[in-house]
Structure formats: C-alpha cells, structure tokens
Amino acid sequence: MQRRWNGWGDPSVEMEIPEQGAAYLKEVLGEGRSQVDYPRWEFLKRIPKSRLPEHPLITTDPETRLSHSHGQSLPDWIGLRAGMLYRFPDGVAFPSSAEEVQSLLDFAEKQKIILIPYGGGTSVLGHLTVPEDRRPVLTVSLKRLNRMINLDERSLLATFEAGIIGPDLEAHLQSHGFTLGHYPQSFEYSSLGGWIATRSSGQYSTLYGRIDEQFQGGTVVAPGGKLVIPPFPASAAGPDLRHLILGSEGRLGFITEATMKIQPLARGEEEAVFGLFFPSWERGVEGLRKLFARRIPLLMARLSSARETSINLDFSGHERTVAFLRRYLPLRGVPNEEGCMCLLGFRGTDRLMKTLRKEVGTVLKEEKAVPLGKAMGESWKKYRFLMPYLRNTLWSMGYAVETVETAVIWSRVTETVEAMERAMANSLASFGEPVLTFSHLSSPYPTGSNIYTTALFKIASDGEETLERWRHLKKAVSEAIVASGGTISHQHGVGLDHKPWIEAEKGEKGTNIMAAACSVLDPDGRMNPGKLL
Ligand SMILES: Cc1cc2nc3c(=O)[nH]c(=O)nc-3n(C[C@H](O)[C@H](O)[C@H](O)COP(=O)(O)OP(=O)(O)OC[C@H]3O[C@@H](n4cnc5c(N)ncnc54)[C@H](O)[C@@H]3O)c2cc1C
C-alpha cells in the first residue's frame, strides 16, 4: 500500500478543514504559516554509506533506509518536514519466516549489529528511532511474516505470523466468520506484532478486550534463545510470561507468531453506534462510570469534553445540522457551552441491542442524557480511520498536532483532565504561543478510564524551535499525568518519549526486574536499545 513519505497515510486521501474550523483555529492560535518541506532528494543524498556487510535478506538502498528510519511521532514528523532526521538504519531486512529471523540474529551476533524490529511503522513515541551507536543498525521489517498459521474454531483461537497488518488479519478471520475486533486508529498500517509489543488498545476494545486480553501465547525469537508460550485458557503456574512480551517494544526479541483469542461473527448480529448529549462533563463522566460499574457489554463508548464537542461540531462541515442541534439541545436542558457529546456502540442481535439500549437508557436518564439516534454514530464510523489525515492538512496550514493519553481511576478523572489541559495550555508561554487542547474518554473500565487529549499549536519557521515547543509541551503534560496518579501511557507505550517517566510508574525495583528480563533474552543489549528502559 502506498504511503506518504513525510506524513500520515495513503497519499491519495486528503481531509479538508471546513472554513468555520479554519476560522476557529486562527482565532484561538493565530494565523498558521505553512513551511516549505525539506525535500526527499536532500535526505537521500545525505544518507551515509552502510556499515553492514552484504547479506541476501538485507537492502541498503537509501530509499528503504529513509522510510524505515522513523515512526509517526511529532518529533519524527518535525525531523522529516524540517530536515532534522539525522540517523538512518544501515540496512533493512525483510525476512519471510521465523527461520530467516533466526538467521538474521545469528548474523547480527557475528557482526555485532543492533536490531530494531519494525512492524507497521506507526509508533507515536520514537520506538523506531535509530540510536547513536558504534555498532551498525539493522531494522528488520516483519511485513513478510503475514500468514495465518492456524485457525482453531472450536477453541476460538487463531495463530498468525506477527507481521500481518490489521486489514489482512481481519480479512482472514472474517472470511471464516470470525473477528479479532482490534481496531486502533492506525489499523490500516499497524501490525499484530506491533500491537502486542506496545500493548495496544483499539476503538472496540471495550467489547473485544485490549490486545493484552486477546494475546493468548506465541513465539519470541531472541538473541538469548527462543521463548514459546502456549495458549492456556488459564494458568496458576507462576507469573504470566505473556505479560513480559506485551509491551516489550522490541527489547526482548522478535515476536514471530501470536495466538489470539477470536470472536465468532454470529448471523443476525449487527453493530450500531448511537449519539447522545449530556448537559455537562460531570454528568457524562458519572453516566459512563455507572454504565461500566454495571458491566453493560458495550462495543464502544466515547465522551467528549465540552470543548471537544464544540470543535467536533465546528469541524463537521454539516452547518445546518449543527445549527439545528444548537437550537434544539438547550430546549432539552443541554446548554451549548457545556453540552458533552457521547457515542455508545452496541453489537448483537436486534433483540439483544434493544435490551441493552433499554438498560443504558435507564442509567443515563438519571444523568439527564438526551438521546439523538444513529446519525452521529454513523458519521463517526465513516471517518474513524480518516481523522488522522487531518494531521497532514493542519501541518500544511502551519499547525502541529500532538495527542497524549493516560488512564486513571474514576475519582481522579476530572482533575486529571483539567491538570493535563492546564499544563499543556500554559506550556508554551515562554514562546508567547497559545495551545488549544481538548479531551475525551474512549476506554472506560469499571475502575476508571483512559483520557485522550489533543493539543494543537503553531509550527515555528525554525524546525529546532518547533521541536523545542513540543519538548516543553510533552514535559509539562507528562509531569501533570504522573502528579495526578495516571499511567504514563494507556495505549501508545513508552518508546523514547515516555522513558523519562517510566521509573516514576514502575519504581526502581520494577525497572530492574524489566531490565533483568531483557538481559536473559538479549544479553548483549542488541535489541532496540534505548527504548522503554
Ligand atoms: C494515526 C495513528 C493512530 C493511532 N491510533 C492508535 C490507537 O487507536 N490505539 C493504539 O493502541 N495505538 C495507536 N497508535 C499507535 C500505534 O499505531 C501503535 O503503537 C501500534 O501498536 C504500533 O504498531 P506497528 O505495527 O506500527 O509497530 P511499529 O511502530 O513498527 O513498532 C512499535 C514498537 O513495537 C516493536 N515491534 C513491532 N513489531 C514487533 C515484533 N513483531 N516483535 C517485536 N517487537 C515488535 C518495535 O520494535 C517498536 O518498538 C496510533 C498511531 C497513529 C500514527
């Protein structure tokens, strides 16, 4: 599949910003100035000679090395757009089997080479950054490990090679009447191995479970040997080794195979997403808390803050519908400045959906929710994988977008949202720049929820300054998250960008345990050094 070399996604897909949205950004952030992108040919000229000896599985051409030198984090974007990407892998390998991965490990040991596993390249935290090291760096793309190895319909388990990307995995399963139901917003490009290595969470994880619940076992091929974890339905035999692999971020070895828990797609079942409005954020949070305390099996739930709601409406491009909503909702007790949009998804037969919706309706009535039918949900479904394309458009208008996420217990959700938004809003004061922030909850649990906050700020004419603005923003919000008792990541992982805060979360002993595990499977520190720990 074609991909933009210095932005997100398929080059033929463009997302426009409606006039009203552009005017809002100008009012809040000031006029953005588009910058001239650093040309691709300049990068290609700059890529140094490879330090790797020849190998039949390795490509050393500059194009391939450039396209595998980064992920999709904001520093990666700044690096690409402003010509500030300075390190490139010495080569990229494309093995087609676990045996070929093993042969690359043998080669790397003999030649003292660093290895970076590469899935779909959609990391947003610097997981794929090439370290500065005396040793040559080989990035290993797993994209040719893309087969379904086994489907055990009776046990509801499917085993895949780990380089398979979302659409191919779902196509295999759905052709047999099953689904994994794992839909991160990067679904088009991200891989099963990447999901496991970063502990990913998808848009429908509320029903199907996060990747950590779906991953039942697998194989890791590592410098220190092979680790095979069988798919027991449950086990009391000591600590669960699956949790070593989950979130290992390429530090332990290559996940070559994974056995996943799948769901049958029963006949007559449908998916539907309904929209509703709460009169305030507090009411919305309380509504979701109650629904999840009762463990009502929803497909998805998403509650936008009042600001995110208003931005969603301004950016929707449906001016007449929005004007109607802004007249109608206050009549139903939802003030325009405070109303919070919520989407709730259901999956099941018509009968089950009716029962679930009735139960949800009873709970949410207590919080004065106003139901609005399916139109907003249908629109969300249509655009859910297209929204990231807005990053391309916004960048060309002179605005950078960063997203941050955490999870906290219910009693701290609101104060954490406020602390995160405040920290980001003030983070660029020394540059005299405002920051626009807005948040939503999209993975509620019985004990708490994730928080997903978006920040927009102006790109500077100098790439170094844009990067410095990002550093200020990232530091401020990460400190606010830690101080509020949130995890440094609910779904994106650690990589390079969250590393300064990992010890605050795991403690010294905890990080030592993780480092010890790395040294068993990777005694020479060859696997993706510098990430996670
Ligand atoms: C637009 C956009 C939307 C996103 N939305 C979501 C979302 O909704 N939910 C979410 O959880 N994340 C999301 N992400 C983040 C990202 O997609 C996830 O972290 C994803 O799991 C990364 O998968 P990947 O295959 O692209 O891995 P890569 O980016 O290639 O690698 C990520 C890390 O995993 C390691 N790795 C990859 N494959 C293997 C393997 N086989 N064995 C060992 N290590 C491996 C790499 O070494 C690296 O450390 C989004 C990113 C973008 C750009």
Short mmCIF file of all heavy atoms in Angstrom, two decimals, residues 227-282:
data_model
loop_
_atom_site.label_atom_id
_atom_site.label_comp_id
_atom_site.label_asym_id
_atom_site.label_seq_id
_atom_site.Cartn_x
_atom_site.Cartn_y
_atom_site.Cartn_z
N LEU A 227 11.61 -18.22 23.02
CA LEU A 227 10.63 -18.34 24.10
C LEU A 227 9.29 -18.69 23.47
O LEU A 227 8.79 -17.96 22.62
CB LEU A 227 10.52 -17.00 24.84
CG LEU A 227 9.55 -16.93 26.01
CD1 LEU A 227 10.00 -17.83 27.16
CD2 LEU A 227 9.43 -15.49 26.51
N VAL A 228 8.74 -19.85 23.91
CA VAL A 228 7.44 -20.27 23.35
C VAL A 228 6.43 -20.29 24.49
O VAL A 228 6.65 -20.91 25.52
CB VAL A 228 7.55 -21.68 22.71
CG1 VAL A 228 6.20 -22.11 22.13
CG2 VAL A 228 8.60 -21.68 21.61
N ILE A 229 5.33 -19.57 24.30
CA ILE A 229 4.30 -19.50 25.35
C ILE A 229 3.03 -20.15 24.80
O ILE A 229 2.42 -19.64 23.86
CB ILE A 229 4.02 -18.04 25.76
CG1 ILE A 229 5.34 -17.38 26.20
CG2 ILE A 229 2.99 -17.98 26.87
CD1 ILE A 229 5.20 -15.92 26.55
N PRO A 230 2.60 -21.30 25.39
CA PRO A 230 1.39 -21.97 24.87
C PRO A 230 0.13 -21.22 25.28
O PRO A 230 0.12 -20.51 26.30
CB PRO A 230 1.44 -23.35 25.55
CG PRO A 230 2.68 -23.39 26.38
CD PRO A 230 3.21 -22.01 26.52
N PRO A 231 -0.96 -21.41 24.51
CA PRO A 231 -2.19 -20.66 24.81
C PRO A 231 -3.08 -21.38 25.83
O PRO A 231 -4.12 -21.91 25.48
CB PRO A 231 -2.88 -20.61 23.44
CG PRO A 231 -2.43 -21.86 22.74
CD PRO A 231 -1.07 -22.19 23.25
N PHE A 232 -2.69 -21.38 27.09
CA PHE A 232 -3.55 -21.98 28.12
C PHE A 232 -4.78 -21.10 28.32
O PHE A 232 -4.64 -19.87 28.37
CB PHE A 232 -2.81 -22.08 29.46
CG PHE A 232 -1.57 -22.91 29.40
CD1 PHE A 232 -0.33 -22.35 29.68
CD2 PHE A 232 -1.63 -24.26 29.09
CE1 PHE A 232 0.82 -23.10 29.63
CE2 PHE A 232 -0.48 -25.03 29.03
CZ PHE A 232 0.75 -24.44 29.30
N PRO A 233 -5.96 -21.71 28.50
CA PRO A 233 -7.14 -20.86 28.77
C PRO A 233 -6.98 -20.12 30.10
O PRO A 233 -7.52 -19.01 30.28
CB PRO A 233 -8.31 -21.85 28.82
CG PRO A 233 -7.72 -23.21 28.80
CD PRO A 233 -6.29 -23.13 28.38
N ALA A 234 -6.24 -20.72 31.03
CA ALA A 234 -5.92 -20.06 32.31
C ALA A 234 -4.79 -20.85 32.94
O ALA A 234 -4.59 -22.02 32.60
CB ALA A 234 -7.13 -20.05 33.24
N SER A 235 -4.05 -20.24 33.82
CA SER A 235 -2.94 -20.97 34.45
C SER A 235 -2.60 -20.33 35.78
O SER A 235 -2.63 -19.10 35.92
CB SER A 235 -1.72 -20.92 33.53
OG SER A 235 -0.58 -21.34 34.25
N ALA A 236 -2.27 -21.20 36.76
CA ALA A 236 -1.82 -20.69 38.06
C ALA A 236 -0.34 -21.02 38.27
O ALA A 236 0.17 -20.96 39.38
CB ALA A 236 -2.66 -21.30 39.18
N ALA A 237 0.34 -21.35 37.14
CA ALA A 237 1.74 -21.78 37.25
C ALA A 237 2.68 -20.57 37.26
O ALA A 237 3.42 -20.32 36.31
CB ALA A 237 2.07 -22.72 36.10
N GLY A 238 2.63 -19.82 38.33
CA GLY A 238 3.57 -18.70 38.48
C GLY A 238 3.19 -17.50 37.63
O GLY A 238 2.13 -17.48 37.00
N PRO A 239 4.07 -16.46 37.61
CA PRO A 239 3.76 -15.25 36.84
C PRO A 239 3.51 -15.56 35.37
O PRO A 239 4.08 -16.50 34.83
CB PRO A 239 5.03 -14.40 37.01
CG PRO A 239 5.68 -14.90 38.23
CD PRO A 239 5.35 -16.37 38.33
N ASP A 240 2.66 -14.75 34.77
CA ASP A 240 2.23 -14.97 33.39
C ASP A 240 3.26 -14.36 32.43
O ASP A 240 3.39 -13.14 32.35
CB ASP A 240 0.86 -14.30 33.20
CG ASP A 240 0.22 -14.65 31.88
OD1 ASP A 240 0.94 -15.06 30.96
OD2 ASP A 240 -1.02 -14.49 31.78
N LEU A 241 3.98 -15.21 31.71
CA LEU A 241 5.05 -14.71 30.84
C LEU A 241 4.54 -13.91 29.65
O LEU A 241 5.29 -13.16 29.03
CB LEU A 241 5.93 -15.87 30.35
CG LEU A 241 6.73 -16.57 31.45
CD1 LEU A 241 7.54 -17.73 30.88
CD2 LEU A 241 7.65 -15.60 32.19
N ARG A 242 3.25 -14.06 29.34
CA ARG A 242 2.71 -13.24 28.25
C ARG A 242 2.89 -11.75 28.54
O ARG A 242 3.09 -10.95 27.65
CB ARG A 242 1.20 -13.53 28.05
CG ARG A 242 0.94 -14.88 27.44
CD ARG A 242 -0.51 -15.17 27.36
NE ARG A 242 -1.15 -15.21 28.68
CZ ARG A 242 -2.36 -15.67 28.90
NH1 ARG A 242 -3.08 -16.11 27.89
NH2 ARG A 242 -2.88 -15.68 30.12
N HIS A 243 2.84 -11.43 29.83
CA HIS A 243 2.95 -10.02 30.20
C HIS A 243 4.38 -9.48 30.12
O HIS A 243 4.60 -8.28 30.28
CB HIS A 243 2.31 -9.77 31.56
CG HIS A 243 0.82 -9.83 31.45
ND1 HIS A 243 0.06 -8.76 31.05
CD2 HIS A 243 -0.04 -10.87 31.60
CE1 HIS A 243 -1.21 -9.13 30.98
NE2 HIS A 243 -1.29 -10.41 31.31
N LEU A 244 5.33 -10.39 29.91
CA LEU A 244 6.68 -9.93 29.62
C LEU A 244 6.78 -9.48 28.16
O LEU A 244 7.47 -8.53 27.82
CB LEU A 244 7.66 -11.09 29.78
CG LEU A 244 8.48 -11.21 31.02
CD1 LEU A 244 9.47 -12.34 30.85
CD2 LEU A 244 9.23 -9.90 31.29
N ILE A 245 6.07 -10.24 27.32
CA ILE A 245 6.13 -9.97 25.89
C ILE A 245 5.30 -8.73 25.54
O ILE A 245 5.70 -7.90 24.74
CB ILE A 245 5.58 -11.19 25.09
CG1 ILE A 245 6.30 -12.46 25.53
CG2 ILE A 245 5.68 -10.98 23.59
CD1 ILE A 245 7.79 -12.35 25.54
N LEU A 246 4.12 -8.64 26.17
CA LEU A 246 3.25 -7.49 25.95
C LEU A 246 3.97 -6.23 26.42
O LEU A 246 4.44 -6.17 27.56
CB LEU A 246 1.96 -7.67 26.74
CG LEU A 246 1.00 -8.70 26.15
CD1 LEU A 246 0.07 -9.25 27.23
CD2 LEU A 246 0.19 -8.09 25.01
N GLY A 247 4.08 -5.26 25.54
CA GLY A 247 4.78 -4.02 25.92
C GLY A 247 6.29 -4.13 25.89
O GLY A 247 6.97 -3.24 26.40
N SER A 248 6.84 -5.17 25.25
CA SER A 248 8.30 -5.34 25.29
C SER A 248 9.01 -4.43 24.29
O SER A 248 10.23 -4.28 24.34
CB SER A 248 8.69 -6.81 25.05
OG SER A 248 8.12 -7.28 23.84
N GLU A 249 8.29 -3.82 23.36
CA GLU A 249 8.80 -2.75 22.49
C GLU A 249 10.08 -3.13 21.75
O GLU A 249 11.00 -2.31 21.59
CB GLU A 249 8.97 -1.45 23.31
CG GLU A 249 7.64 -1.03 23.95
CD GLU A 249 7.60 0.39 24.46
OE1 GLU A 249 8.64 1.05 24.50
OE2 GLU A 249 6.50 0.86 24.82
N GLY A 250 10.17 -4.39 21.38
CA GLY A 250 11.33 -4.84 20.60
C GLY A 250 12.57 -5.06 21.43
O GLY A 250 13.63 -5.41 20.90
N ARG A 251 12.49 -4.90 22.76
CA ARG A 251 13.67 -5.03 23.62
C ARG A 251 14.04 -6.48 23.90
O ARG A 251 15.17 -6.78 24.29
CB ARG A 251 13.44 -4.30 24.95
CG ARG A 251 13.43 -2.80 24.89
CD ARG A 251 14.76 -2.23 24.44
NE ARG A 251 15.89 -2.78 25.17
CZ ARG A 251 16.49 -2.19 26.20
NH1 ARG A 251 16.08 -1.02 26.60
NH2 ARG A 251 17.52 -2.75 26.81
N LEU A 252 13.07 -7.39 23.78
CA LEU A 252 13.34 -8.78 24.18
C LEU A 252 13.69 -9.67 23.00
O LEU A 252 14.32 -10.71 23.16
CB LEU A 252 12.10 -9.38 24.88
CG LEU A 252 11.75 -8.80 26.23
CD1 LEU A 252 10.50 -9.47 26.77
CD2 LEU A 252 12.89 -9.02 27.22
N GLY A 253 13.21 -9.31 21.83
CA GLY A 253 13.43 -10.16 20.67
C GLY A 253 12.31 -9.91 19.68
O GLY A 253 11.54 -8.96 19.82
N PHE A 254 12.21 -10.80 18.69
CA PHE A 254 11.17 -10.66 17.66
C PHE A 254 9.99 -11.55 18.00
O PHE A 254 10.16 -12.76 18.17
CB PHE A 254 11.71 -11.10 16.29
CG PHE A 254 12.80 -10.20 15.79
CD1 PHE A 254 14.14 -10.50 16.03
CD2 PHE A 254 12.49 -9.06 15.07
CE1 PHE A 254 15.15 -9.68 15.56
CE2 PHE A 254 13.50 -8.23 14.60
CZ PHE A 254 14.84 -8.54 14.85
N ILE A 255 8.82 -10.97 18.09
CA ILE A 255 7.60 -11.77 18.19
C ILE A 255 7.37 -12.27 16.77
O ILE A 255 7.17 -11.46 15.85
CB ILE A 255 6.40 -10.92 18.66
CG1 ILE A 255 6.72 -10.24 19.99
CG2 ILE A 255 5.13 -11.77 18.77
CD1 ILE A 255 5.82 -9.05 20.32
N THR A 256 7.45 -13.57 16.57
CA THR A 256 7.28 -14.08 15.20
C THR A 256 5.89 -14.67 14.99
O THR A 256 5.38 -14.68 13.88
CB THR A 256 8.34 -15.14 14.87
OG1 THR A 256 8.32 -16.13 15.89
CG2 THR A 256 9.73 -14.52 14.77
N GLU A 257 5.30 -15.16 16.07
CA GLU A 257 3.97 -15.78 15.97
C GLU A 257 3.14 -15.39 17.16
O GLU A 257 3.67 -15.27 18.27
CB GLU A 257 4.14 -17.30 16.08
CG GLU A 257 3.99 -18.04 14.81
CD GLU A 257 4.15 -19.54 15.07
OE1 GLU A 257 3.36 -20.13 15.85
OE2 GLU A 257 5.08 -20.08 14.48
N ALA A 258 1.84 -15.23 16.97
CA ALA A 258 0.98 -14.91 18.11
C ALA A 258 -0.35 -15.65 17.96
O ALA A 258 -0.93 -15.66 16.87
CB ALA A 258 0.74 -13.41 18.20
N THR A 259 -0.79 -16.24 19.05
CA THR A 259 -2.09 -16.90 19.05
C THR A 259 -3.08 -15.98 19.76
O THR A 259 -2.84 -15.55 20.89
CB THR A 259 -2.00 -18.27 19.76
OG1 THR A 259 -1.06 -19.05 19.03
CG2 THR A 259 -3.34 -18.97 19.81
N MET A 260 -4.16 -15.68 19.06
CA MET A 260 -5.09 -14.66 19.53
C MET A 260 -6.47 -15.25 19.80
O MET A 260 -6.93 -16.13 19.08
CB MET A 260 -5.23 -13.55 18.48
CG MET A 260 -3.93 -12.96 17.98
SD MET A 260 -2.87 -12.27 19.27
CE MET A 260 -3.82 -10.85 19.78
N LYS A 261 -7.11 -14.69 20.82
CA LYS A 261 -8.49 -15.07 21.13
C LYS A 261 -9.40 -14.36 20.12
O LYS A 261 -9.31 -13.15 19.94
CB LYS A 261 -8.81 -14.58 22.55
CG LYS A 261 -10.14 -14.98 23.06
CD LYS A 261 -10.19 -14.89 24.56
CE LYS A 261 -10.23 -13.45 25.06
NZ LYS A 261 -10.25 -13.33 26.50
N ILE A 262 -10.26 -15.13 19.45
CA ILE A 262 -11.12 -14.51 18.43
C ILE A 262 -12.60 -14.67 18.81
O ILE A 262 -12.93 -15.44 19.72
CB ILE A 262 -10.85 -15.14 17.04
CG1 ILE A 262 -11.01 -16.68 17.12
CG2 ILE A 262 -9.48 -14.75 16.54
CD1 ILE A 262 -10.96 -17.36 15.78
N GLN A 263 -13.44 -13.96 18.09
CA GLN A 263 -14.89 -13.97 18.36
C GLN A 263 -15.63 -14.43 17.13
O GLN A 263 -15.32 -13.95 16.03
CB GLN A 263 -15.37 -12.54 18.62
CG GLN A 263 -14.88 -11.92 19.88
CD GLN A 263 -15.76 -12.29 21.05
OE1 GLN A 263 -16.96 -12.49 20.89
NE2 GLN A 263 -15.16 -12.43 22.21
N PRO A 264 -16.62 -15.32 17.28
CA PRO A 264 -17.42 -15.66 16.10
C PRO A 264 -18.33 -14.48 15.73
O PRO A 264 -18.79 -13.76 16.61
CB PRO A 264 -18.28 -16.84 16.57
CG PRO A 264 -18.18 -16.87 18.06
CD PRO A 264 -17.05 -15.99 18.50
N LEU A 265 -18.53 -14.30 14.42
CA LEU A 265 -19.47 -13.28 13.96
C LEU A 265 -20.81 -13.97 13.75
O LEU A 265 -21.04 -14.57 12.70
CB LEU A 265 -18.98 -12.67 12.65
CG LEU A 265 -17.76 -11.76 12.74
CD1 LEU A 265 -17.18 -11.49 11.36
CD2 LEU A 265 -18.10 -10.46 13.44
N ALA A 266 -21.64 -13.93 14.75
CA ALA A 266 -22.89 -14.69 14.66
C ALA A 266 -23.84 -14.07 13.66
O ALA A 266 -23.87 -12.84 13.49
CB ALA A 266 -23.54 -14.73 16.04
N ARG A 267 -24.61 -14.93 12.97
CA ARG A 267 -25.57 -14.43 11.99
C ARG A 267 -26.65 -13.58 12.68
O ARG A 267 -27.03 -13.88 13.80
CB ARG A 267 -26.21 -15.61 11.26
CG ARG A 267 -26.63 -15.18 9.89
CD ARG A 267 -27.17 -16.28 9.04
NE ARG A 267 -26.14 -17.26 8.67
CZ ARG A 267 -26.44 -18.51 8.34
NH1 ARG A 267 -27.67 -18.92 8.36
NH2 ARG A 267 -25.49 -19.34 7.99
N GLY A 268 -27.05 -12.53 12.03
CA GLY A 268 -28.11 -11.69 12.61
C GLY A 268 -27.59 -10.65 13.58
O GLY A 268 -28.35 -9.82 14.07
N GLU A 269 -26.26 -10.66 13.84
CA GLU A 269 -25.72 -9.63 14.74
C GLU A 269 -25.32 -8.41 13.95
O GLU A 269 -24.83 -8.51 12.84
CB GLU A 269 -24.48 -10.17 15.46
CG GLU A 269 -24.83 -11.05 16.63
CD GLU A 269 -23.62 -11.33 17.50
OE1 GLU A 269 -22.49 -10.94 17.15
OE2 GLU A 269 -23.81 -11.97 18.54
N GLU A 270 -25.52 -7.27 14.57
CA GLU A 270 -25.15 -6.01 13.91
C GLU A 270 -24.38 -5.12 14.86
O GLU A 270 -24.41 -5.33 16.07
CB GLU A 270 -26.42 -5.27 13.50
CG GLU A 270 -26.94 -5.71 12.16
CD GLU A 270 -28.22 -4.99 11.83
OE1 GLU A 270 -28.24 -3.76 12.04
OE2 GLU A 270 -29.17 -5.66 11.41
N GLU A 271 -23.74 -4.13 14.27
CA GLU A 271 -23.07 -3.10 15.08
C GLU A 271 -23.82 -1.80 14.89
O GLU A 271 -24.20 -1.47 13.76
CB GLU A 271 -21.68 -2.82 14.50
CG GLU A 271 -20.60 -3.69 15.04
CD GLU A 271 -19.31 -3.48 14.24
OE1 GLU A 271 -19.17 -2.47 13.52
OE2 GLU A 271 -18.47 -4.36 14.36
N ALA A 272 -24.03 -1.08 15.96
CA ALA A 272 -24.66 0.24 15.80
C ALA A 272 -24.08 1.19 16.84
O ALA A 272 -23.83 0.80 17.98
CB ALA A 272 -26.17 0.13 15.97
N VAL A 273 -23.84 2.44 16.40
CA VAL A 273 -23.30 3.45 17.33
C VAL A 273 -24.33 4.58 17.42
O VAL A 273 -24.74 5.13 16.39
CB VAL A 273 -21.94 3.98 16.83
CG1 VAL A 273 -21.40 5.04 17.79
CG2 VAL A 273 -20.92 2.84 16.71
N PHE A 274 -24.72 4.88 18.64
CA PHE A 274 -25.75 5.92 18.87
C PHE A 274 -25.12 7.15 19.52
O PHE A 274 -24.17 7.04 20.29
CB PHE A 274 -26.84 5.37 19.80
CG PHE A 274 -27.65 4.27 19.16
CD1 PHE A 274 -27.20 2.95 19.19
CD2 PHE A 274 -28.84 4.55 18.50
CE1 PHE A 274 -27.93 1.94 18.58
CE2 PHE A 274 -29.57 3.55 17.88
CZ PHE A 274 -29.12 2.24 17.92
N GLY A 275 -25.68 8.31 19.20
CA GLY A 275 -25.19 9.55 19.78
C GLY A 275 -26.13 10.07 20.86
O GLY A 275 -27.34 9.82 20.81
N LEU A 276 -25.57 10.77 21.81
CA LEU A 276 -26.39 11.43 22.83
C LEU A 276 -25.61 12.59 23.40
O LEU A 276 -24.40 12.71 23.16
CB LEU A 276 -26.80 10.46 23.94
CG LEU A 276 -25.70 9.64 24.61
CD1 LEU A 276 -25.43 10.17 25.99
CD2 LEU A 276 -26.10 8.19 24.68
N PHE A 277 -26.28 13.47 24.09
CA PHE A 277 -25.62 14.61 24.73
C PHE A 277 -25.90 14.60 26.22
O PHE A 277 -27.03 14.34 26.64
CB PHE A 277 -26.15 15.93 24.13
CG PHE A 277 -25.33 16.42 22.98
CD1 PHE A 277 -25.44 15.81 21.73
CD2 PHE A 277 -24.45 17.48 23.14
CE1 PHE A 277 -24.69 16.25 20.66
CE2 PHE A 277 -23.68 17.93 22.07
CZ PHE A 277 -23.79 17.31 20.83
N PHE A 278 -24.86 14.90 27.01
CA PHE A 278 -25.04 15.14 28.44
C PHE A 278 -25.05 16.65 28.67
O PHE A 278 -24.34 17.38 27.95
CB PHE A 278 -23.89 14.53 29.24
CG PHE A 278 -23.93 13.03 29.32
CD1 PHE A 278 -23.13 12.25 28.50
CD2 PHE A 278 -24.77 12.39 30.23
CE1 PHE A 278 -23.17 10.87 28.57
CE2 PHE A 278 -24.81 11.01 30.31
CZ PHE A 278 -24.01 10.24 29.48
N PRO A 279 -25.77 17.10 29.70
CA PRO A 279 -25.80 18.55 29.93
C PRO A 279 -24.48 19.11 30.47
O PRO A 279 -24.28 20.32 30.45
CB PRO A 279 -26.92 18.73 30.96
CG PRO A 279 -27.25 17.37 31.47
CD PRO A 279 -26.69 16.35 30.54
N SER A 280 -23.59 18.24 30.97
CA SER A 280 -22.30 18.73 31.46
C SER A 280 -21.30 17.58 31.46
O SER A 280 -21.67 16.41 31.37
CB SER A 280 -22.44 19.26 32.90
OG SER A 280 -22.71 18.16 33.76
N TRP A 281 -20.03 17.94 31.58
CA TRP A 281 -18.95 16.93 31.66
C TRP A 281 -19.16 16.03 32.88
O TRP A 281 -19.06 14.80 32.78
CB TRP A 281 -17.61 17.67 31.73
CG TRP A 281 -16.43 16.79 32.03
CD1 TRP A 281 -15.75 16.70 33.21
CD2 TRP A 281 -15.80 15.86 31.13
NE1 TRP A 281 -14.73 15.78 33.11
CE2 TRP A 281 -14.73 15.27 31.83
CE3 TRP A 281 -16.02 15.49 29.81
CZ2 TRP A 281 -13.90 14.31 31.25
CZ3 TRP A 281 -15.19 14.53 29.22
CH2 TRP A 281 -14.15 13.96 29.94
N GLU A 282 -19.47 16.64 34.02
CA GLU A 282 -19.62 15.86 35.26
C GLU A 282 -20.72 14.80 35.08
O GLU A 282 -20.57 13.66 35.50
CB GLU A 282 -19.98 16.78 36.44
CG GLU A 282 -18.82 17.64 36.94
CD GLU A 282 -18.46 18.78 35.98
OE1 GLU A 282 -19.30 19.15 35.13
OE2 GLU A 282 -17.32 19.27 36.07
#
